[in-house]
Amino acid sequence: MWLPLVVGVDGSPSSLSALDWAVDEAARLSLPLHLVHASMGPEDDVVLGTPEAARGKADALLASAVESAHLRNPDVKVTVEVVDAAPVRALLEGSHNASALVVGARGHGGLEALLLGSVSLAVAGRALCPVVVVRDGTSAPPEGVPHRILLGVEDAASSSAAVEFAFQMAEVRGQGVDAVTAWCCPALTSAAGPGRDAQLARHAETQLDEALHRSESKHPMVDVRRTVARGSARDILLRSSATTDLLVVGARRRRGRVGILLGKVNHAVLHYATCTVALVPQWETPEKL
């Protein structure tokens, strides 16, 4: 990592939580922060007041954010940018030049019952770099719980980027990695039984070993714990999210495809995980398309 951490700032409590998280990580990673504010509303053609008023409000908001960042850690270099675009477009543009994009789980939008705002969801599904979604009050696991990074692994092909991201973060933080993969027996099969279950479990163990091998070799000081569990990956990760401060999962990306590219597990952890979630894009090769 050497590009800045880009943080979406809109003045909401969630964006302030995202800023605090990003300042701490930038200090650990020796990276600069780049704060981005969108001067337009949720729709590209809706300007928040007159251009002059919108610019003044944006400048004041970013100045306050910079002050907050420096109060939290004066050694972190901070730059700012006001982008004349709607929030999603502004943040996606920022993802082109970022080690990671950090956003709050909710912005200033309505529908408070939703656990993830529409801007954060759209960015998580389309950004070119890892996206970290910070939920209010998730800066640390409960007292007494070891600080370890929770890593959801599907297989080597679809999880390699997420695995490496998790190991890099763990190494810098001085933490371990809890790598989790799940397996389940198909509901309709004539080969169900203990033998079939054992075969599926061994296959999952092999897939997990293959996915972790390269990053384990590159980061030998990171302590790794493996968990191969029967059941739904979504349910297992959500339960485990209560005892960690960072959950890392891969997010498949297909070149040439438009729209939000998120799987069921991605959606579940973004909406319901009780910790900060990092989605790391995994670009599929042409052969898999």
Side-chain angles (χ1 to χ4, degrees):
M1 296 182 181
W2 58 272
L3 295 172
L5 291 180
V6 174
V7 188
V9 177
D10 64 5
S12 66
S14 286
S15 78
L16 296 180
S17 293
L19 176 61
D20 287 346
W21 188 95
V23 170
D24 294 345
E25 293 307 318
R28 291 188 185 103
L29 297 166
S30 299
L31 292 176
L33 280 186
H34 185 61
L35 312 186
V36 173
H37 176 73
S39 66
M40 302 180 74
E43 301 296 334
D44 288 359
D45 60 347
V46 178
V47 179
L48 302 178
T50 65
E52 294 79 11
R55 182 68 195 213
K57 180 179 178 180
D59 289 343
L61 188 152
L62 285 173
S64 177
V66 170
E67 181 179 5
S68 295
H70 284 160
L71 285 174
R72 192 169 183 89
N73 192 318
D75 296 327
V76 173
K77 180 181 178 182
V78 183
T79 57
V80 300
E81 180 181 10
V82 178
V83 181
D84 294 327
V88 172
R89 180 179 295 181
L91 293 173
L92 290 178
E93 288 178 0
S95 75
H96 287 259
N97 191 45
S99 290
L101 180 60
V102 186
V103 296
R106 291 206 53 79
H108 280 308
L111 299 176
E112 294 299 326
L114 293 178
L115 297 180
L116 187 71
S118 60
V119 170
S120 300
L121 183 63
V123 169
R126 295 164 56 190
L128 300 179
C129 67
V131 176
V132 179
V133 179
V134 181
R135 206 178 307 284
D136 291 351
T138 59
S139 60
E143 186 176 352
V145 175
H147 288 236
R148 298 179 66 87
I149 291 175
L150 178 62
L151 170 64
V153 179
E154 184 176 358
D155 54 44
S158 60
S159 302
S160 60
V163 170
E164 180 58 21
F165 181 90
F167 272 75
Q168 288 178 359
M169 295 292 284
E171 187 170 64
V172 171
R173 288 168 160 222
Q175 296 180 347
V177 170
D178 288 338
V180 177
T181 194
W183 65 274
C184 60
C185 188
L188 299 177
T189 177
S190 59
R196 178 60 170 167
D197 289 353
Q199 181 182 14
L200 291 171
R202 285 195 299 270
H203 178 71
E205 290 173 359
T206 300
Q207 292 285 319
L208 183 59
D209 287 341
E210 291 177 355
L212 298 177
H213 175 72
R214 183 175 181 182
S215 292
E216 281 188 302
S217 299
K218 291 174 63 177
H219 308 279
M221 299 304 293
V222 174
D223 177 62
V224 183
R225 296 195 305 218
R226 290 164 164 78
T227 298
V228 178
R230 179 174 184 171
S232 162
R234 175 192 61 191
D235 294 342
I236 293 166
L237 292 175
L238 290 179
R239 285 197 302 269
S240 300
S241 73
T243 56
T244 187
D245 60 347
L246 179 61
L247 164 60
V248 180
V249 292
R252 294 187 182 186
R253 296 285 193 269
R254 297 181 181 180
R255 299 189 188 280
R257 291 285 297 275
V258 297
I260 298 176
L261 300 178
L262 293 173
K264 293 180 179 179
V265 173
N266 295 154
H267 274 283
V269 298
L270 284 172
H271 282 290
Y272 302 116
T274 57
C275 64
T276 294
V277 176
L279 263 69
V280 183
Q282 180 78 43
W283 294 98
E284 295 192 354
T285 60
E287 291 79 14
K288 302 183 78 173
L289 303 182

